[in-house]
Structures are given as structure tokens and as C-alpha cells.
Amino acid sequence: MIGFAAPALTGFATGFSLILAIGAQNAFVLRQGLMRQHVFWLCLFCAVSDALLITAGVAGFGVLVEALPWLPLLMALAGAAFLVVYGLMRFLAALKGDYAMEIEGKSRSLGAVIAIAAAFTWANPHVYLDTLGLIGAISTSYPDWPTRIAFGTGAVTSSFVFFFTLGYGARLLAPIMQKPSAWRVLDVIIGLTMWAIAAGLIRGVVTGAIH
């Protein structure tokens, strides 16, 4: 068991560091956590999605990107378009300033929440680069399958720990979020985050086209 501890811890640290930065998916989980609506199923969906992608990366399917050279471009454009629209929705919500539903803890249906989470997860090219690409590449440094599986297990565990901590830990901020002004600030920050990520995706597409 000791021999598997090091790769498992490396996998955990690698996976945790990749998802730690506030991105589109994390911001959405944080917002739902503050509303205390569908938190368990949302966190489970995000963590399981990561687990599937990490497993695929460790299993060696990172070559999919090389086999389909047009896939990164398609995912980048689709992801950027979705982020621009969602960011605009948050700006409009902040401008409107009607947060009665949020303060009362009301939310979208579970299906709507999962659909948005699916778009944030599966339409984000960075997810594929981090899981199929980076984590998959690092896993190859472990030549035998038992240690490689231990590395992947550590990375998968980090996703479950992170998302459930973020989703349920968000309620600690609930007392602060009892005013519409606090929700307005949060939505502006989320909107800016979405547009910044979209700009990065588009910049990557343009840079790739030039080169």
C-alpha cells in the first residue's frame, strides 16, 4: 500500500491544482451552493464528469485530440459562445437587481441546473486539455498499471473533495448574501469571469490560426 501512496497523493495534488482556479464551472457550483439548491446532484455530476475524463486520460485516450485535429477548435468556439451568453445573462441579472428568488433560496429545476453544468463541463476545451491531455500525460510517467491507477484514483478523489467542499462550503457565505447588492456583486464577478475565459478561448483560436 505504501508504494501506491506516493502516486495517489501526486494525482490528488495534480487534480486539485487544476480545478482550484475559479472558472466557469466552479463559479456556477458556488452560486448554486449559495442558493442551497440541487447542491448534492450538481456536485456529483461535476465530480463524476471529471472522473470519466480523468479515467479516459489515464487510459490513454488523449490521442483523440491528435486523431481529430479540428476538435479543439470546435470546442473552443462552442465554449466561448456559451460563456459569452451566460456572462451576459449574469450582467443583465445584476442590472435588473431582482434577487428575491436567490435570497429566498429558490432556484431552477434540477434538469435545468444539470444542463447548464453539462455545458460548462463538456463544452469547455480546457477540461479536455487538463484531463485527457495533462493528467493523461503525467500518468504515463508511471510505467506499471497499478501505480498509474493509483495516480488516477488520487486525481478523481480530488474532484469529489473539491466540488463537494465548494458546493456545501458556499453556505458559510449565506449570511453575507442576504442583500441584493451582494448578489449583484457576485453576478458581476461571475460575468467578468465568463467573458475573461471566453476571451482566452478566442485568443487561443486566433493565435492557433495565425501559427
PDB file of all heavy atoms in Angstrom, residues 171-209:
ATOM      1  N   ARG A 171     -22.319  27.752   1.623  1.00  0.00           N
ATOM      2  CA  ARG A 171     -23.380  28.209   2.521  1.00  0.00           C
ATOM      3  C   ARG A 171     -22.832  28.990   3.710  1.00  0.00           C
ATOM      4  O   ARG A 171     -23.590  29.683   4.399  1.00  0.00           O
ATOM      5  CB  ARG A 171     -24.224  27.026   3.001  1.00  0.00           C
ATOM      6  CG  ARG A 171     -23.497  25.995   3.835  1.00  0.00           C
ATOM      7  CD  ARG A 171     -24.418  24.816   4.130  1.00  0.00           C
ATOM      8  NE  ARG A 171     -24.930  24.245   2.892  1.00  0.00           N
ATOM      9  CZ  ARG A 171     -25.918  23.362   2.849  1.00  0.00           C
ATOM     10  NH1 ARG A 171     -26.499  22.961   3.966  1.00  0.00           N
ATOM     11  NH2 ARG A 171     -26.334  22.876   1.694  1.00  0.00           N
ATOM     12  N   LEU A 172     -21.516  28.886   3.950  1.00  0.00           N
ATOM     13  CA  LEU A 172     -20.911  29.683   5.015  1.00  0.00           C
ATOM     14  C   LEU A 172     -20.992  31.175   4.703  1.00  0.00           C
ATOM     15  O   LEU A 172     -20.927  32.024   5.600  1.00  0.00           O
ATOM     16  CB  LEU A 172     -19.442  29.276   5.219  1.00  0.00           C
ATOM     17  CG  LEU A 172     -19.202  27.829   5.683  1.00  0.00           C
ATOM     18  CD1 LEU A 172     -17.718  27.537   5.747  1.00  0.00           C
ATOM     19  CD2 LEU A 172     -19.856  27.595   7.048  1.00  0.00           C
ATOM     20  N   LEU A 173     -21.133  31.476   3.391  1.00  0.00           N
ATOM     21  CA  LEU A 173     -21.252  32.868   2.966  1.00  0.00           C
ATOM     22  C   LEU A 173     -22.705  33.337   2.948  1.00  0.00           C
ATOM     23  O   LEU A 173     -22.979  34.507   2.626  1.00  0.00           O
ATOM     24  CB  LEU A 173     -20.657  33.044   1.560  1.00  0.00           C
ATOM     25  CG  LEU A 173     -19.175  32.717   1.401  1.00  0.00           C
ATOM     26  CD1 LEU A 173     -18.783  32.822  -0.075  1.00  0.00           C
ATOM     27  CD2 LEU A 173     -18.319  33.660   2.234  1.00  0.00           C
ATOM     28  N   ALA A 174     -23.636  32.443   3.282  1.00  0.00           N
ATOM     29  CA  ALA A 174     -25.066  32.755   3.197  1.00  0.00           C
ATOM     30  C   ALA A 174     -25.455  34.020   3.958  1.00  0.00           C
ATOM     31  O   ALA A 174     -26.245  34.826   3.450  1.00  0.00           O
ATOM     32  CB  ALA A 174     -25.887  31.559   3.674  1.00  0.00           C
ATOM     33  N   PRO A 175     -24.948  34.248   5.179  1.00  0.00           N
ATOM     34  CA  PRO A 175     -25.338  35.477   5.889  1.00  0.00           C
ATOM     35  C   PRO A 175     -24.985  36.752   5.118  1.00  0.00           C
ATOM     36  O   PRO A 175     -25.700  37.750   5.204  1.00  0.00           O
ATOM     37  CB  PRO A 175     -24.545  35.388   7.198  1.00  0.00           C
ATOM     38  CG  PRO A 175     -24.333  33.921   7.403  1.00  0.00           C
ATOM     39  CD  PRO A 175     -24.110  33.378   6.020  1.00  0.00           C
ATOM     40  N   ILE A 176     -23.884  36.681   4.361  1.00  0.00           N
ATOM     41  CA  ILE A 176     -23.469  37.854   3.591  1.00  0.00           C
ATOM     42  C   ILE A 176     -24.380  38.062   2.392  1.00  0.00           C
ATOM     43  O   ILE A 176     -24.579  39.195   1.931  1.00  0.00           O
ATOM     44  CB  ILE A 176     -22.009  37.686   3.113  1.00  0.00           C
ATOM     45  CG1 ILE A 176     -21.082  37.457   4.322  1.00  0.00           C
ATOM     46  CG2 ILE A 176     -21.538  38.897   2.320  1.00  0.00           C
ATOM     47  CD1 ILE A 176     -19.656  37.161   3.920  1.00  0.00           C
ATOM     48  N   MET A 177     -24.947  36.957   1.895  1.00  0.00           N
ATOM     49  CA  MET A 177     -25.724  37.008   0.657  1.00  0.00           C
ATOM     50  C   MET A 177     -27.210  37.246   0.901  1.00  0.00           C
ATOM     51  O   MET A 177     -28.039  36.860   0.091  1.00  0.00           O
ATOM     52  CB  MET A 177     -25.529  35.704  -0.123  1.00  0.00           C
ATOM     53  CG  MET A 177     -24.077  35.348  -0.393  1.00  0.00           C
ATOM     54  SD  MET A 177     -23.159  36.644  -1.264  1.00  0.00           S
ATOM     55  CE  MET A 177     -23.987  36.630  -2.858  1.00  0.00           C
ATOM     56  N   GLN A 178     -27.561  37.907   1.995  1.00  0.00           N
ATOM     57  CA  GLN A 178     -28.955  38.201   2.279  1.00  0.00           C
ATOM     58  C   GLN A 178     -29.387  39.565   1.741  1.00  0.00           C
ATOM     59  O   GLN A 178     -30.515  40.000   1.963  1.00  0.00           O
ATOM     60  CB  GLN A 178     -29.206  38.143   3.798  1.00  0.00           C
ATOM     61  CG  GLN A 178     -29.099  36.742   4.380  1.00  0.00           C
ATOM     62  CD  GLN A 178     -30.045  35.761   3.706  1.00  0.00           C
ATOM     63  OE1 GLN A 178     -31.257  35.997   3.621  1.00  0.00           O
ATOM     64  NE2 GLN A 178     -29.507  34.659   3.208  1.00  0.00           N
ATOM     65  N   LYS A 179     -28.476  40.228   1.037  1.00  0.00           N
ATOM     66  CA  LYS A 179     -28.792  41.522   0.450  1.00  0.00           C
ATOM     67  C   LYS A 179     -28.657  41.446  -1.071  1.00  0.00           C
ATOM     68  O   LYS A 179     -27.722  40.823  -1.575  1.00  0.00           O
ATOM     69  CB  LYS A 179     -27.848  42.601   0.989  1.00  0.00           C
ATOM     70  CG  LYS A 179     -27.963  42.844   2.495  1.00  0.00           C
ATOM     71  CD  LYS A 179     -27.008  43.929   2.938  1.00  0.00           C
ATOM     72  CE  LYS A 179     -27.138  44.198   4.428  1.00  0.00           C
ATOM     73  NZ  LYS A 179     -26.203  45.259   4.879  1.00  0.00           N
ATOM     74  N   PRO A 180     -29.567  42.080  -1.803  1.00  0.00           N
ATOM     75  CA  PRO A 180     -29.485  42.088  -3.268  1.00  0.00           C
ATOM     76  C   PRO A 180     -28.153  42.632  -3.778  1.00  0.00           C
ATOM     77  O   PRO A 180     -27.650  42.166  -4.802  1.00  0.00           O
ATOM     78  CB  PRO A 180     -30.654  42.993  -3.680  1.00  0.00           C
ATOM     79  CG  PRO A 180     -31.628  42.869  -2.557  1.00  0.00           C
ATOM     80  CD  PRO A 180     -30.786  42.755  -1.314  1.00  0.00           C
ATOM     81  N   SER A 181     -27.574  43.583  -3.070  1.00  0.00           N
ATOM     82  CA  SER A 181     -26.307  44.175  -3.511  1.00  0.00           C
ATOM     83  C   SER A 181     -25.191  43.145  -3.538  1.00  0.00           C
ATOM     84  O   SER A 181     -24.324  43.176  -4.415  1.00  0.00           O
ATOM     85  CB  SER A 181     -25.920  45.337  -2.590  1.00  0.00           C
ATOM     86  OG  SER A 181     -25.807  44.897  -1.237  1.00  0.00           O
ATOM     87  N   ALA A 182     -25.208  42.207  -2.579  1.00  0.00           N
ATOM     88  CA  ALA A 182     -24.175  41.168  -2.543  1.00  0.00           C
ATOM     89  C   ALA A 182     -24.318  40.240  -3.741  1.00  0.00           C
ATOM     90  O   ALA A 182     -23.319  39.844  -4.360  1.00  0.00           O
ATOM     91  CB  ALA A 182     -24.275  40.371  -1.240  1.00  0.00           C
ATOM     92  N   TRP A 183     -25.568  39.871  -4.085  1.00  0.00           N
ATOM     93  CA  TRP A 183     -25.796  39.033  -5.253  1.00  0.00           C
ATOM     94  C   TRP A 183     -25.413  39.765  -6.536  1.00  0.00           C
ATOM     95  O   TRP A 183     -24.911  39.157  -7.488  1.00  0.00           O
ATOM     96  CB  TRP A 183     -27.263  38.608  -5.314  1.00  0.00           C
ATOM     97  CG  TRP A 183     -27.566  37.465  -4.389  1.00  0.00           C
ATOM     98  CD1 TRP A 183     -28.114  37.539  -3.147  1.00  0.00           C
ATOM     99  CD2 TRP A 183     -27.302  36.075  -4.622  1.00  0.00           C
ATOM    100  NE1 TRP A 183     -28.219  36.286  -2.596  1.00  0.00           N
ATOM    101  CE2 TRP A 183     -27.733  35.372  -3.473  1.00  0.00           C
ATOM    102  CE3 TRP A 183     -26.755  35.368  -5.694  1.00  0.00           C
ATOM    103  CZ2 TRP A 183     -27.628  33.991  -3.371  1.00  0.00           C
ATOM    104  CZ3 TRP A 183     -26.648  33.987  -5.595  1.00  0.00           C
ATOM    105  CH2 TRP A 183     -27.078  33.315  -4.449  1.00  0.00           C
ATOM    106  N   ARG A 184     -25.660  41.089  -6.562  1.00  0.00           N
ATOM    107  CA  ARG A 184     -25.307  41.873  -7.744  1.00  0.00           C
ATOM    108  C   ARG A 184     -23.788  41.848  -7.961  1.00  0.00           C
ATOM    109  O   ARG A 184     -23.325  41.663  -9.084  1.00  0.00           O
ATOM    110  CB  ARG A 184     -25.802  43.319  -7.582  1.00  0.00           C
ATOM    111  CG  ARG A 184     -25.458  44.208  -8.774  1.00  0.00           C
ATOM    112  CD  ARG A 184     -25.975  45.611  -8.623  1.00  0.00           C
ATOM    113  NE  ARG A 184     -27.400  45.694  -8.886  1.00  0.00           N
ATOM    114  CZ  ARG A 184     -28.321  45.975  -7.979  1.00  0.00           C
ATOM    115  NH1 ARG A 184     -27.966  46.186  -6.720  1.00  0.00           N
ATOM    116  NH2 ARG A 184     -29.592  46.052  -8.320  1.00  0.00           N
ATOM    117  N   VAL A 185     -23.035  42.027  -6.884  1.00  0.00           N
ATOM    118  CA  VAL A 185     -21.569  41.980  -6.978  1.00  0.00           C
ATOM    119  C   VAL A 185     -21.104  40.603  -7.451  1.00  0.00           C
ATOM    120  O   VAL A 185     -20.232  40.486  -8.310  1.00  0.00           O
ATOM    121  CB  VAL A 185     -20.922  42.325  -5.615  1.00  0.00           C
ATOM    122  CG1 VAL A 185     -19.424  42.039  -5.649  1.00  0.00           C
ATOM    123  CG2 VAL A 185     -21.180  43.787  -5.261  1.00  0.00           C
ATOM    124  N   LEU A 186     -21.707  39.542  -6.891  1.00  0.00           N
ATOM    125  CA  LEU A 186     -21.334  38.183  -7.278  1.00  0.00           C
ATOM    126  C   LEU A 186     -21.593  37.948  -8.765  1.00  0.00           C
ATOM    127  O   LEU A 186     -20.756  37.376  -9.466  1.00  0.00           O
ATOM    128  CB  LEU A 186     -22.123  37.164  -6.448  1.00  0.00           C
ATOM    129  CG  LEU A 186     -21.884  35.690  -6.811  1.00  0.00           C
ATOM    130  CD1 LEU A 186     -20.441  35.294  -6.538  1.00  0.00           C
ATOM    131  CD2 LEU A 186     -22.845  34.779  -6.032  1.00  0.00           C
ATOM    132  N   ASP A 187     -22.750  38.393  -9.242  1.00  0.00           N
ATOM    133  CA  ASP A 187     -23.085  38.178 -10.652  1.00  0.00           C
ATOM    134  C   ASP A 187     -22.159  38.958 -11.573  1.00  0.00           C
ATOM    135  O   ASP A 187     -21.799  38.480 -12.660  1.00  0.00           O
ATOM    136  CB  ASP A 187     -24.548  38.561 -10.920  1.00  0.00           C
ATOM    137  CG  ASP A 187     -25.498  37.387 -10.710  1.00  0.00           C
ATOM    138  OD1 ASP A 187     -25.007  36.243 -10.691  1.00  0.00           O
ATOM    139  OD2 ASP A 187     -26.705  37.609 -10.569  1.00  0.00           O
ATOM    140  N   VAL A 188     -21.764  40.152 -11.173  1.00  0.00           N
ATOM    141  CA  VAL A 188     -20.820  40.930 -11.983  1.00  0.00           C
ATOM    142  C   VAL A 188     -19.473  40.210 -12.050  1.00  0.00           C
ATOM    143  O   VAL A 188     -18.860  40.095 -13.116  1.00  0.00           O
ATOM    144  CB  VAL A 188     -20.638  42.350 -11.409  1.00  0.00           C
ATOM    145  CG1 VAL A 188     -19.454  43.055 -12.092  1.00  0.00           C
ATOM    146  CG2 VAL A 188     -21.905  43.170 -11.601  1.00  0.00           C
ATOM    147  N   ILE A 189     -19.028  39.685 -10.907  1.00  0.00           N
ATOM    148  CA  ILE A 189     -17.758  38.952 -10.873  1.00  0.00           C
ATOM    149  C   ILE A 189     -17.840  37.708 -11.746  1.00  0.00           C
ATOM    150  O   ILE A 189     -16.916  37.410 -12.515  1.00  0.00           O
ATOM    151  CB  ILE A 189     -17.394  38.565  -9.421  1.00  0.00           C
ATOM    152  CG1 ILE A 189     -17.076  39.825  -8.609  1.00  0.00           C
ATOM    153  CG2 ILE A 189     -16.208  37.601  -9.404  1.00  0.00           C
ATOM    154  CD1 ILE A 189     -16.836  39.550  -7.134  1.00  0.00           C
ATOM    155  N   ILE A 190     -18.959  36.978 -11.640  1.00  0.00           N
ATOM    156  CA  ILE A 190     -19.139  35.769 -12.451  1.00  0.00           C
ATOM    157  C   ILE A 190     -19.193  36.132 -13.929  1.00  0.00           C
ATOM    158  O   ILE A 190     -18.579  35.466 -14.781  1.00  0.00           O
ATOM    159  CB  ILE A 190     -20.413  35.015 -12.039  1.00  0.00           C
ATOM    160  CG1 ILE A 190     -20.237  34.412 -10.639  1.00  0.00           C
ATOM    161  CG2 ILE A 190     -20.741  33.906 -13.046  1.00  0.00           C
ATOM    162  CD1 ILE A 190     -21.476  33.704 -10.114  1.00  0.00           C
ATOM    163  N   GLY A 191     -19.911  37.206 -14.270  1.00  0.00           N
ATOM    164  CA  GLY A 191     -19.996  37.643 -15.660  1.00  0.00           C
ATOM    165  C   GLY A 191     -18.630  37.992 -16.223  1.00  0.00           C
ATOM    166  O   GLY A 191     -18.290  37.595 -17.350  1.00  0.00           O
ATOM    167  N   LEU A 192     -17.835  38.709 -15.443  1.00  0.00           N
ATOM    168  CA  LEU A 192     -16.482  39.071 -15.877  1.00  0.00           C
ATOM    169  C   LEU A 192     -15.616  37.825 -16.041  1.00  0.00           C
ATOM    170  O   LEU A 192     -14.806  37.739 -16.977  1.00  0.00           O
ATOM    171  CB  LEU A 192     -15.838  40.031 -14.867  1.00  0.00           C
ATOM    172  CG  LEU A 192     -16.432  41.446 -14.805  1.00  0.00           C
ATOM    173  CD1 LEU A 192     -15.824  42.219 -13.646  1.00  0.00           C
ATOM    174  CD2 LEU A 192     -16.187  42.181 -16.127  1.00  0.00           C
ATOM    175  N   THR A 193     -15.793  36.869 -15.125  1.00  0.00           N
ATOM    176  CA  THR A 193     -15.034  35.618 -15.210  1.00  0.00           C
ATOM    177  C   THR A 193     -15.378  34.867 -16.488  1.00  0.00           C
ATOM    178  O   THR A 193     -14.491  34.373 -17.196  1.00  0.00           O
ATOM    179  CB  THR A 193     -15.336  34.724 -13.988  1.00  0.00           C
ATOM    180  OG1 THR A 193     -14.963  35.407 -12.789  1.00  0.00           O
ATOM    181  CG2 THR A 193     -14.565  33.412 -14.080  1.00  0.00           C
ATOM    182  N   MET A 194     -16.669  34.776 -16.790  1.00  0.00           N
ATOM    183  CA  MET A 194     -17.111  34.077 -18.003  1.00  0.00           C
ATOM    184  C   MET A 194     -16.533  34.729 -19.257  1.00  0.00           C
ATOM    185  O   MET A 194     -16.032  34.048 -20.157  1.00  0.00           O
ATOM    186  CB  MET A 194     -18.638  34.078 -18.102  1.00  0.00           C
ATOM    187  CG  MET A 194     -19.355  33.425 -16.948  1.00  0.00           C
ATOM    188  SD  MET A 194     -18.908  31.685 -16.743  1.00  0.00           S
ATOM    189  CE  MET A 194     -19.615  31.351 -15.127  1.00  0.00           C
ATOM    190  N   TRP A 195     -16.590  36.045 -19.321  1.00  0.00           N
ATOM    191  CA  TRP A 195     -16.099  36.749 -20.504  1.00  0.00           C
ATOM    192  C   TRP A 195     -14.575  36.681 -20.612  1.00  0.00           C
ATOM    193  O   TRP A 195     -14.038  36.624 -21.708  1.00  0.00           O
ATOM    194  CB  TRP A 195     -16.579  38.205 -20.477  1.00  0.00           C
ATOM    195  CG  TRP A 195     -18.006  38.327 -20.935  1.00  0.00           C
ATOM    196  CD1 TRP A 195     -18.909  37.307 -21.098  1.00  0.00           C
ATOM    197  CD2 TRP A 195     -18.691  39.528 -21.288  1.00  0.00           C
ATOM    198  NE1 TRP A 195     -20.114  37.789 -21.534  1.00  0.00           N
ATOM    199  CE2 TRP A 195     -20.022  39.142 -21.653  1.00  0.00           C
ATOM    200  CE3 TRP A 195     -18.341  40.871 -21.323  1.00  0.00           C
ATOM    201  CZ2 TRP A 195     -20.971  40.086 -22.061  1.00  0.00           C
ATOM    202  CZ3 TRP A 195     -19.292  41.808 -21.719  1.00  0.00           C
ATOM    203  CH2 TRP A 195     -20.594  41.416 -22.089  1.00  0.00           C
ATOM    204  N   ALA A 196     -13.898  36.678 -19.461  1.00  0.00           N
ATOM    205  CA  ALA A 196     -12.437  36.557 -19.486  1.00  0.00           C
ATOM    206  C   ALA A 196     -12.022  35.190 -20.023  1.00  0.00           C
ATOM    207  O   ALA A 196     -11.089  35.078 -20.819  1.00  0.00           O
ATOM    208  CB  ALA A 196     -11.871  36.772 -18.083  1.00  0.00           C
ATOM    209  N   ILE A 197     -12.731  34.142 -19.591  1.00  0.00           N
ATOM    210  CA  ILE A 197     -12.429  32.795 -20.072  1.00  0.00           C
ATOM    211  C   ILE A 197     -12.747  32.687 -21.561  1.00  0.00           C
ATOM    212  O   ILE A 197     -11.976  32.095 -22.332  1.00  0.00           O
ATOM    213  CB  ILE A 197     -13.229  31.739 -19.280  1.00  0.00           C
ATOM    214  CG1 ILE A 197     -12.819  31.763 -17.803  1.00  0.00           C
ATOM    215  CG2 ILE A 197     -12.990  30.339 -19.851  1.00  0.00           C
ATOM    216  CD1 ILE A 197     -13.682  30.892 -16.917  1.00  0.00           C
ATOM    217  N   ALA A 198     -13.882  33.273 -21.981  1.00  0.00           N
ATOM    218  CA  ALA A 198     -14.259  33.260 -23.395  1.00  0.00           C
ATOM    219  C   ALA A 198     -13.213  33.983 -24.235  1.00  0.00           C
ATOM    220  O   ALA A 198     -12.837  33.528 -25.316  1.00  0.00           O
ATOM    221  CB  ALA A 198     -15.630  33.908 -23.579  1.00  0.00           C
ATOM    222  N   ALA A 199     -12.720  35.126 -23.732  1.00  0.00           N
ATOM    223  CA  ALA A 199     -11.692  35.883 -24.449  1.00  0.00           C
ATOM    224  C   ALA A 199     -10.424  35.053 -24.602  1.00  0.00           C
ATOM    225  O   ALA A 199      -9.766  35.074 -25.649  1.00  0.00           O
ATOM    226  CB  ALA A 199     -11.385  37.188 -23.714  1.00  0.00           C
ATOM    227  N   GLY A 200     -10.080  34.301 -23.538  1.00  0.00           N
ATOM    228  CA  GLY A 200      -8.907  33.442 -23.608  1.00  0.00           C
ATOM    229  C   GLY A 200      -9.066  32.348 -24.647  1.00  0.00           C
ATOM    230  O   GLY A 200      -8.130  32.028 -25.376  1.00  0.00           O
ATOM    231  N   LEU A 201     -10.266  31.783 -24.730  1.00  0.00           N
ATOM    232  CA  LEU A 201     -10.530  30.738 -25.722  1.00  0.00           C
ATOM    233  C   LEU A 201     -10.416  31.300 -27.141  1.00  0.00           C
ATOM    234  O   LEU A 201      -9.801  30.689 -28.021  1.00  0.00           O
ATOM    235  CB  LEU A 201     -11.922  30.144 -25.511  1.00  0.00           C
ATOM    236  CG  LEU A 201     -12.134  29.319 -24.235  1.00  0.00           C
ATOM    237  CD1 LEU A 201     -13.587  28.880 -24.134  1.00  0.00           C
ATOM    238  CD2 LEU A 201     -11.208  28.112 -24.207  1.00  0.00           C
ATOM    239  N   ILE A 202     -11.036  32.470 -27.362  1.00  0.00           N
ATOM    240  CA  ILE A 202     -10.996  33.087 -28.689  1.00  0.00           C
ATOM    241  C   ILE A 202      -9.570  33.497 -29.053  1.00  0.00           C
ATOM    242  O   ILE A 202      -9.129  33.320 -30.200  1.00  0.00           O
ATOM    243  CB  ILE A 202     -11.927  34.304 -28.731  1.00  0.00           C
ATOM    244  CG1 ILE A 202     -13.383  33.850 -28.553  1.00  0.00           C
ATOM    245  CG2 ILE A 202     -11.780  35.065 -30.058  1.00  0.00           C
ATOM    246  CD1 ILE A 202     -14.371  34.990 -28.405  1.00  0.00           C
ATOM    247  N   ARG A 203      -8.828  34.004 -28.067  1.00  0.00           N
ATOM    248  CA  ARG A 203      -7.436  34.380 -28.304  1.00  0.00           C
ATOM    249  C   ARG A 203      -6.622  33.159 -28.718  1.00  0.00           C
ATOM    250  O   ARG A 203      -5.774  33.231 -29.616  1.00  0.00           O
ATOM    251  CB  ARG A 203      -6.830  35.008 -27.063  1.00  0.00           C
ATOM    252  CG  ARG A 203      -5.458  35.655 -27.279  1.00  0.00           C
ATOM    253  CD  ARG A 203      -4.885  36.220 -25.987  1.00  0.00           C
ATOM    254  NE  ARG A 203      -5.842  37.109 -25.339  1.00  0.00           N
ATOM    255  CZ  ARG A 203      -6.395  36.863 -24.163  1.00  0.00           C
ATOM    256  NH1 ARG A 203      -6.102  35.745 -23.504  1.00  0.00           N
ATOM    257  NH2 ARG A 203      -7.241  37.725 -23.632  1.00  0.00           N
ATOM    258  N   GLY A 204      -6.903  32.037 -28.075  1.00  0.00           N
ATOM    259  CA  GLY A 204      -6.204  30.805 -28.429  1.00  0.00           C
ATOM    260  C   GLY A 204      -6.513  30.361 -29.838  1.00  0.00           C
ATOM    261  O   GLY A 204      -5.643  29.885 -30.563  1.00  0.00           O
ATOM    262  N   VAL A 205      -7.783  30.520 -30.245  1.00  0.00           N
ATOM    263  CA  VAL A 205      -8.186  30.155 -31.598  1.00  0.00           C
ATOM    264  C   VAL A 205      -7.482  31.032 -32.620  1.00  0.00           C
ATOM    265  O   VAL A 205      -6.948  30.542 -33.631  1.00  0.00           O
ATOM    266  CB  VAL A 205      -9.714  30.272 -31.778  1.00  0.00           C
ATOM    267  CG1 VAL A 205     -10.111  30.135 -33.228  1.00  0.00           C
ATOM    268  CG2 VAL A 205     -10.415  29.212 -30.933  1.00  0.00           C
ATOM    269  N   VAL A 206      -7.461  32.348 -32.349  1.00  0.00           N
ATOM    270  CA  VAL A 206      -6.827  33.293 -33.269  1.00  0.00           C
ATOM    271  C   VAL A 206      -5.322  33.034 -33.362  1.00  0.00           C
ATOM    272  O   VAL A 206      -4.751  33.007 -34.461  1.00  0.00           O
ATOM    273  CB  VAL A 206      -7.077  34.750 -32.817  1.00  0.00           C
ATOM    274  CG1 VAL A 206      -6.278  35.726 -33.661  1.00  0.00           C
ATOM    275  CG2 VAL A 206      -8.560  35.062 -32.905  1.00  0.00           C
ATOM    276  N   THR A 207      -4.693  32.811 -32.215  1.00  0.00           N
ATOM    277  CA  THR A 207      -3.255  32.534 -32.184  1.00  0.00           C
ATOM    278  C   THR A 207      -2.933  31.256 -32.956  1.00  0.00           C
ATOM    279  O   THR A 207      -1.984  31.196 -33.739  1.00  0.00           O
ATOM    280  CB  THR A 207      -2.745  32.404 -30.754  1.00  0.00           C
ATOM    281  OG1 THR A 207      -3.031  33.598 -30.041  1.00  0.00           O
ATOM    282  CG2 THR A 207      -1.250  32.142 -30.729  1.00  0.00           C
ATOM    283  N   GLY A 208      -3.781  30.235 -32.758  1.00  0.00           N
ATOM    284  CA  GLY A 208      -3.572  28.974 -33.470  1.00  0.00           C
ATOM    285  C   GLY A 208      -3.751  29.131 -34.951  1.00  0.00           C
ATOM    286  O   GLY A 208      -3.034  28.509 -35.756  1.00  0.00           O
ATOM    287  N   ALA A 209      -4.701  29.994 -35.361  1.00  0.00           N
ATOM    288  CA  ALA A 209      -4.933  30.215 -36.788  1.00  0.00           C
ATOM    289  C   ALA A 209      -3.762  30.930 -37.436  1.00  0.00           C
ATOM    290  O   ALA A 209      -3.375  30.658 -38.582  1.00  0.00           O
ATOM    291  CB  ALA A 209      -6.221  31.013 -36.981  1.00  0.00           C
TER     292      ALA A 209
END
